[in-house]
Amino acid sequence: MPRFSIVVPVYNVQGYLRTCLESVLGQSYGDFEVIVVDDRSPDGSPAIVDEFAARDERVVAVHLPVNGGIGPARNHGAKLARGEYLLFLDSDDSYTPGALRAIAERIDATARPDVVLFDYARTHWHGAVRRNRDAEVFAAPGPEVFTVAERPELLDLFTVVWNKAYHLDFFREGGFAFPTGFYEDAVVVYQTLWTARTIALVDRVCVYYRQRRQGSAMRTPSREHFEVFAQYERLFRFVAERPELERWRGFLYDHMADHYLFILRQKDRVPPSSRPEFHRRAARDLRVHRPDGHRPGEGIPRTSFTLLARAPYALYALHRVAAVKRAGLRRRLRVWRRRLRRVLLALHRRLVLRRALDPDLAVYSAFGHRGVLGDPAAIHRKARELAPHIRGVWVVAKEHVAALPPGTEHVLPGSRAYRRVTARATYLVNNVNWANELVKREGSVHIHTHQGTPVKSMGADLLKYPGARRGFSVPKMLTRADRWDYSLVANAHSELVWDRAYPCGFTSLRSGSPRNDCLVRPEEGRRESVRQRLGVPDGSTLILYAPTGRDHRTGGHVPACDLERLVAGLPGDHVLAVRLHPSLDRHHERGLALRDLAGRGLVLDVTDEPHVEDLLLACDALVTDYSSLMFDYALLDRPIVLHTYDHDTYLAARGTYVDVTECPPGHVTRDEDGLARLFASGAWCDEESARLRTAFRARFAGYDDGRAAERVVRLLMLGEDLAAVPAVPAPGAPSDALARS
């Protein structure tokens, strides 16, 4: 008996069916059967079904004699199921890598519940991928196994069966079956959740839910949407036959009212000529099924509900027309408000720019206003020590204010306070460009720190890589860079790159990277403190996997590394910590495997750790690809491994200044098996690794001597002579710390 029976109904999906079935057969967990039910599809789908059945014995091909719809097709597949758990997958959707293994392990960990729910992400035809907006429900604290009475919020989730696994005995004993017609999922979803004795959740994106540009029957105007009335009739009858479910009658009534209002609002559901009839049928249901004394919930629009339940269709239609007109007026009002705001902002900017610069004011920002981080933070700390008379103000986005160190003076970007301090500050320190509207005033000192040693193409060099510069203009970026007075340089390589990539009038300061001061001169006990905070067992080898983003891929997806497979190949005393690129902290791919594996204690998800320097100090080895972190970590003289599975693609899409696979700081791997073997064998820290690292350090030796922040403060803020804090030149590099671009 297989563990899973996966039922895939098929009708007119020849363009998507292969992707769907490949996603199932390619799972790392192989104990399943996939029952593919051809619902008399008129296109090439039946041939594809037979092709896969001939290729893999786990595929059961079923060809129905007549077309009956998705509900009967699912029912037919469920009758043939032999597995312990029953799953349904629509034939234009697909499973994510590792999904079945994650579901199986969750089933084992929760003593085989009746129903297991897992998360999904919408994949749009234009390339965007967005995780379910209710994803936090899966991560919410609570018992591992529960009933829907204990977690009623599950009933508000998207009512589909393809993100659930049903214990086959529970499904058959309950006599659950899909009705014909549209909205058939709701019947089975509610019936099973209401009656399940045990439910468990998998906090992982397991399904890619395809959003088709066209061809979706649900978004085609037709009278088939009238099937919704029969589906709710079935549900109310189901509740009436089971007194123990009476508590859900009010919920079902509210959900029905909201659903009817939704269908009437949409232009792609009920044809205009049939709307009066739909309105009458809906009003009847709302009168007949309303529980005694029940008042609609807060989420139900009261006026719309009243007009649907008690008024003729003409009044409801007038209300909808008025609502559309009101929405249009509100949009126009918002446009005029924005225009007025721009005028007022321009006037305010002129006023504040008339005030003299404050010689004792410095404004800092890092990583797009994400907090007190990186090189700007190191400079700020040193300025408070060496130049306490200089007031430091941080620009921080609202969502990051709560994480600020106590007592940090800050302003919100775009606020009146922001405009005041940026207009009057003598010193402006940032590792990304300031916003377009910020005016470079005579006498102000703009210090640009960058974000490490450049590996991938930057600035003007991106003109050769259109896929990597989607969404922004290189000429406008260079106009913003024209405001720089000083560009901090970590090594001779960086200076050459910045001069070419940003042909602007700045002066290069051979300072080193301020954020790396703590790596060159680490505080006593800081490494141990970080490892303890992360929960790394004593004596364990901590590996940090920190890949860079992929700009050429929509959404900057994290590399397709099978973390579960990687962890399985590591020695038992090795701990894997994963840090996604900061731009991906809220990305759907974090929910594919990382959150699930972290929740199960198999990896550490350190993406939210604010200070990457702490992670570098704490780990025993760094695994990266094309990230500048390799240059920072090399200062610690610890092993580095480059995992470059997509090397050729990355070079073609983004370009690099140095082919790091030709002069790597350590061993280079191309797949998870090779990476795991490297650590299992101990080769990650062998003599060859040390030799490569030594050559890398010699080639890119820079100015990091632990005094970079001090150098910046003394030279640029206090105006002291450079002799007070001499630079340490790289071999063959000029000894003069300043170089005009």
Side-chain angles (χ1 to χ4, degrees):
M1 179 180 74
R3 188 67 179 280
F4 296 127
S5 290
I6 304 164
V7 176
V8 181
V10 172
Y11 186 79
N12 269 358
V13 286
Q14 62 181 12
Y16 310 109
L17 183 55
R18 290 183 188 278
T19 300
C20 171
L21 296 179
E22 292 285 7
S23 77
V24 179
L25 299 181
Q27 290 287 309
S28 59
Y29 186 89
D31 188 12
F32 61 80
E33 63 175 357
V34 54
I35 304 169
V36 189
V37 183
D38 163 33
D39 190 22
R40 199 65 178 176
S41 183
D43 65 354
S45 297
I48 297 174
V49 173
D50 291 337
E51 173 193 331
F52 274 83
R55 190 177 103 188
D56 195 310
E57 61 182 7
R58 295 174 297 179
V59 178
V60 179
V62 179
H63 298 282
L64 299 181
V66 294
N67 173 256
I70 191 171
R74 285 173 173 163
N75 292 336
H76 193 95
K79 290 177 183 178
L80 299 177
R82 300 179 298 115
E84 182 185 8
Y85 276 82
L86 176 65
L87 293 86
F88 300 96
L89 179 66
D90 286 356
S91 48
D92 54 353
D93 298 337
S94 57
Y95 283 142
T96 63
L100 292 183
R101 182 173 298 281
I103 297 168
E105 293 187 358
R106 188 64 177 154
I107 288 171
D108 290 339
T110 52
R112 292 169 169 73
D114 289 338
V115 183
V116 179
L117 283 77
F118 37 91
D119 205 1
Y120 66 92
R122 297 174 187 265
T123 61
H124 295 265
W125 64 270
H126 48 74
V129 182
R130 296 185 177 90
R131 190 174 182 182
N132 164 31
R133 65 183 180 182
D134 298 316
E136 292 309 314
V137 170
F138 292 87
E144 289 198 333
V145 179
F146 48 85
T147 65
V148 75
E150 297 170 287
R151 295 286 299 274
E153 67 271 18
L154 295 180
L155 294 173
D156 293 323
L157 297 177
F158 193 27
T159 50
V160 291
V161 295
W162 42 253
N163 73 332
K164 299 170 181 69
Y166 298 101
H167 198 292
L168 188 60
D169 291 342
F170 161 74
F171 197 86
R172 286 178 173 166
E173 288 168 5
F176 304 116
F178 294 92
T180 58
F182 284 6
Y183 308 106
E184 77 292 336
D185 279 26
V187 174
V188 171
V189 168
Y190 289 134
Q191 289 178 351
T192 53
L193 289 180
W194 286 335
T195 57
R197 295 153 297 191
T198 51
I199 302 172
L201 301 177
V202 180
D203 184 17
R204 178 172 177 147
V205 173
C206 294
V207 177
Y208 282 136
Y209 174 37
R210 187 185 298 276
Q211 306 295 287
R212 295 160 67 172
R213 183 172 181 269
Q214 60 181 6
S216 172
M218 289 295 292
R219 295 180 180 177
T220 303
S222 74
R223 288 187 59 84
E224 291 185 86
H225 291 279
F226 278 72
E227 294 286 348
V228 71
F229 300 120
Q231 313 302 18
Y232 278 104
E233 192 66 40
R234 291 183 176 94
L235 285 169
F236 276 106
R237 189 164 57 248
F238 186 82
V239 170
E241 293 170 352
R242 294 164 177 78
E244 70 275 13
L245 300 183
E246 184 62 28
R247 63 183 299 174
W248 300 114
R249 185 180 294 275
F251 160 82
L252 182 58
Y253 182 85
D254 285 352
H255 190 275
M256 177 182 68
D258 187 56
H259 199 173
Y260 289 173
L261 287 169
F262 171 80
I263 293 173
L264 269 178
R265 281 198 307 270
Q266 304 305 307
K267 295 181 180 179
D268 55 1
R269 299 297 196 275
V270 180
S273 60
S274 301
R275 287 174 181 244
E277 181 185 352
F278 189 95
H279 181 274
R280 288 194 300 273
R281 296 274 301 272
R284 175 196 169 278
D285 280 5
L286 292 178
R287 290 193 302 271
V288 169
H289 294 297
R290 187 167 186 170
D292 293 338
H294 180 76
R295 301 187 64 180
E298 294 181 2
I300 308 296
R302 294 302 172 89
T303 303
S304 297
F305 172 81
T306 301
L307 291 173
L308 177 62
R310 301 177 183 174
Y313 175 73
L315 283 180
Y316 173 83
L318 284 174
H319 168 69
R320 288 302 309 156
V321 170
V324 171
K325 290 186 177 296
R326 285 196 302 271
L329 288 173
R330 284 194 293 267
R331 285 194 297 270
R332 286 195 289 272
L333 182 59
R334 286 195 295 269
V335 170
W336 281 106
R337 283 177 175 172
R338 285 196 296 268
R339 290 176 179 174
L340 179 60
R341 178 177 172 79
R342 283 197 293 268
V343 171
L344 295 175
L345 289 177
L347 290 174
H348 184 261
R349 188 180 300 115
R350 288 188 178 186
L351 290 174
V352 296
L353 289 174
R354 289 181 178 180
R355 302 180 64 185
L357 290 177
D358 184 344
D360 296 329
L361 176 60
V363 177
Y364 301 87
S365 179
F367 301 106
H369 315 315
R370 293 174 70 92
V372 182
L373 305 167
D375 292 312
I379 295 171
H380 178 228
R381 285 193 298 270
K382 189 57 67 172
R384 293 179 64 181
E385 174 189 335
L386 300 178
H389 62 283
I390 295 180
R391 172 188 166 208
V393 179
W394 279 86
V395 181
V396 182
K398 186 176 182 179
E399 60 268 27
H400 299 294
V401 167
L404 289 176
T408 301
E409 187 175 358
H410 67 278
V411 296
L412 300 179
S415 64
R416 290 175 63 89
Y418 165 83
R419 294 194 297 274
R420 282 197 299 270
V421 296
T422 54
R424 298 203 63 209
T426 295
Y427 309 101
L428 292 103
V429 185
N430 206 336
N431 63 4
V432 298
N433 267 314
W434 292 99
N436 291 335
E437 64 268 14
L438 190 145
V439 176
K440 173 69 168 74
R441 298 187 64 184
E442 184 177 355
S444 64
V445 179
H446 283 239
I447 303 169
H448 192 78
T449 72
H450 301 284
Q451 297 180 38
T453 297
V455 178
K456 55 192 175 187
S457 299
M458 305 287 286
D461 292 330
L462 286 175
L463 290 171
K464 296 180 292 186
Y465 301 99
R469 55 180 168 83
R470 288 177 305 162
F472 71 92
S473 164
V474 170
K476 289 182 179 179
M477 177 176 58
L478 296 180
T479 299
R480 293 190 291 270
D482 283 332
R483 296 176 297 199
W484 303 351
D485 291 297
Y486 293 96
S487 165
L488 302 193
V489 171
N491 46 50
H493 163 76
S494 297
E495 183 176 341
L496 294 174
V497 169
W498 300 142
D499 279 355
R500 187 179 74 187
Y502 296 99
C504 307
F506 56 79
T507 297
S508 293
L509 176 62
R510 296 166 184 151
S511 58
S513 288
R515 72 175 184 180
N516 287 341
D517 288 347
C518 65
L519 302 182
V520 179
R521 298 183 178 186
E523 301 171 21
E524 186 176 352
R526 183 171 176 178
R527 168 180 161 87
E528 291 72 20
S529 175
V530 175
R531 289 172 70 95
Q532 183 177 9
R533 176 167 55 80
L534 295 177
V536 180
D538 292 340
S540 296
T541 297
L542 179 61
I543 305 166
L544 175 62
Y545 176 45
T548 192
R550 278 7 185 212
D551 305 275
H552 59 279
R553 296 177 62 185
T554 302
H557 293 193
V558 70
C561 179
D562 188 339
L563 296 175
E564 197 159 5
R565 187 176 176 190
L566 173 58
V567 170
L570 293 176
D573 60 348
H574 286 46
V575 177
L576 179 66
V578 181
R579 180 183 186 269
L580 302 186
H581 191 272
S583 64
L584 302 176
D585 61 345
R586 298 182 184 275
H587 198 275
H588 86 277
E589 289 212 16
R590 192 173 181 184
L592 289 181
L594 184 52
R595 273 180 36 163
D596 174 40
L597 295 177
R600 288 154 53 193
L602 298 179
V603 303
L604 298 178
D605 181 1
V606 294
T607 303
D608 293 330
E609 284 291 320
H611 303 289
V612 69
E613 310 90 74
D614 283 345
L615 299 177
L616 297 182
L617 283 169
C619 69
D620 299 293
L622 171 68
V623 179
T624 186
D625 40 33
Y626 320 104
S627 170
S628 64
L629 288 180
M630 70 179 79
F631 296 90
D632 304 327
Y633 194 68
L635 295 170
L636 295 170
D637 198 19
R638 296 180 196 159
I640 301 172
V641 176
L642 298 187
H643 183 54
T644 57
Y645 79 96
D646 62 345
H647 179 250
D648 293 339
T649 301
Y650 194 85
L651 288 184
R654 181 66 192 252
T656 61
Y657 294 110
V658 178
D659 186 346
V660 289
T661 64
E662 295 294 327
C663 54
H667 291 291
V668 178
T669 60
R670 302 287 187 178
D671 54 51
E672 290 82 11
D673 288 341
L675 185 58
R677 283 196 301 270
L678 193 70
F679 281 94
S681 65
W684 61 279
C685 57
D686 62 9
E687 292 183 2
E688 177 63 9
S689 170
R691 185 191 68 78
L692 292 170
R693 187 167 68 254
T694 299
F696 183 84
R697 283 162 54 89
R699 178 172 179 176
F700 295 103
Y703 311 120
D704 286 306
D705 59 356
R707 303 180 72 183
E710 179 184 357
R711 193 169 289 118
V712 172
V713 173
R714 290 192 182 278
L715 185 63
L716 303 185
M717 293 183 170
L718 296 177
E720 295 183 4
D721 190 280
L722 189 63
V725 52
V728 179
S735 59
D736 185 4
L738 297 176
R740 181 64 63 180
S741 169

